[in-house]
Amino acid sequence: MVDDHDRDGGRCHDRHSGTNFADAVSAATRERVRRLAASVPALPDRQRSLMGMYTGKKAVVIGGTHGMGRAVVDALLAAGAQVLLTGRSEIAVEPGAQAVRSDVTSARDIDALGETVAARFGSFDLLHVNVGVAEVQPFEQVTAAGYDRMFDVNARGAFFTVQRLAPMIREGGSIVFTTAVTNGLGSPTMSVYSGTKAAVRAFAKVLAAEFLPRGVRVNTVAPGFIDTPTMGFADAGAEERAALMKVGDHITPMRRHGTGQEVARAVLFLGFEATFTTGVELPVDGGLGHVETGLSAPLL
């Protein structure tokens, strides 16, 4: 990736004397500086530009241990925010972040999470709800167990987590849900999953209206095919994921997958920058839900 600025800094001259300062520094000193610079991991351009932007802000990321959620956590930390993230297993995190083990299908865990957030943050600025499980099944093969499992996590878990944490969001803060490109499509084998994410979209629109008196904005980000370790299907095998990647690249108008970092930028935009925006869904899908290519395929 090319930096916005020339890494070598060019050759600097004194505009009055014409002295070339690069030549004035000894070769040994320049070599030491070069080695020191090489030892520091380079930040992606976007993270470099975010440094310090959200210092003093506090964010809670539900489902932040891997994939898109972890990309959001990393972007927030790079921008100076304090972050509390959750997942079904605790993980090591960078300074400025706190990880809490919490299951959105457990009412007890949701209540305990509320107590933890109150104790550690008191109040906070951004709630990002990034939970979801997906199972691909033709309509006639859907089971009651699979139906309940997806709605318990994707819809019920998201709803009651927000209900518990919303009172702690500061005036002028925001909530960003993760939905999916399926909200605008009729995707074969995705009937139940699509229903869960459509429910979350509906929750967001109603909450956007209900939270207006507090100045809390509520929006959603709708990813398409995003390159994550599970590709959004935790129970899929390696061959199925590889097939899914090929399908995604084939039917996405931009002919590639998105990255977790691209989703994170959308979340931070809605969370902090889009201060006159509430009740909307922002697609991050390479045009999949909006640009006609004449190509289509079932997900698996």
Side-chain angles (χ1 to χ4, degrees), residues 14-268:
D14 186 312
R15 68 178 62 186
H16 300 294
S17 67
T19 302
N20 189 313
F21 288 107
D23 292 339
V25 180
S26 71
T29 299
R30 291 202 302 273
E31 179 61 15
R32 285 196 296 271
V33 171
R34 186 193 67 78
R35 290 179 179 176
L36 178 61
S39 70
V40 178
L43 286 171
D45 291 342
R46 179 63 181 178
Q47 287 194 5
R48 191 186 304 276
S49 69
L50 285 173
M51 290 180 67
M53 183 178 292
Y54 301 134
T55 299
K57 299 293 187 181
K58 297 178 182 179
V60 176
V61 179
I62 309 299
T65 57
H66 64 277
M68 294 182 293
R70 187 54 188 261
V72 172
V73 169
D74 290 343
L76 285 163
L77 292 174
Q82 298 179 57
V83 182
L84 188 149
L85 62 119
T86 76
R88 289 198 286 182
S89 60
E90 292 188 24
I91 62 168
V93 293
E94 294 83 355
Q98 305 173 57
V100 176
R101 184 174 181 176
S102 185
D103 183 349
V104 297
T105 66
S106 166
R108 180 176 297 178
D109 279 9
I110 291 173
D111 189 59
L113 175 63
E115 296 294 331
T116 299
V117 172
R120 298 185 185 181
F121 278 177
S123 62
F124 61 97
D125 303 281
L126 169 65
L127 174 59
H128 177 41
V129 183
N130 177 63
V131 296
V133 294
E135 299 176 14
V136 290
Q137 299 163 325
F139 171 73
E140 63 273 11
Q141 295 179 16
V142 172
T143 65
Y147 182 101
D148 289 344
R149 184 162 48 249
M150 281 187 273
F151 267 93
D152 281 350
V153 173
N154 302 1
R156 183 178 184 276
F159 183 93
F160 286 105
T161 296
V162 173
Q163 185 187 67
R164 180 66 177 87
L165 299 181
M168 289 177 271
I169 299 175
R170 293 170 178 164
E171 182 176 345
S174 66
I175 300 170
V176 180
F177 290 94
T178 300
T179 56
V181 67
T182 55
N183 279 359
L185 302 172
S187 303
T189 74
M190 299 290 285
S191 57
V192 178
Y193 176 79
S194 297
T196 67
K197 290 300 185 178
V200 173
R201 173 72 182 111
F203 296 159
K205 293 185 73 172
V206 174
L207 294 180
E210 292 196 13
F211 291 167
L212 282 174
R214 294 178 50 200
V216 173
R217 297 174 296 103
V218 185
N219 297 292
T220 68
V221 60
F225 288 89
I226 305 298
D227 191 7
T228 65
T230 67
M231 290 298 298
F233 297 89
D235 59 346
E239 290 185 2
E240 290 176 308
R241 289 174 189 162
L244 185 61
M245 290 185 72
K246 290 182 179 179
V247 169
D249 288 344
H250 177 67
I251 67 175
T252 298
M254 292 182 69
R255 294 295 188 270
R256 67 172 178 87
H257 280 60
T259 67
Q261 290 73 25
E262 287 172 315
V263 176
R265 289 198 287 271
V267 171
L268 267 59

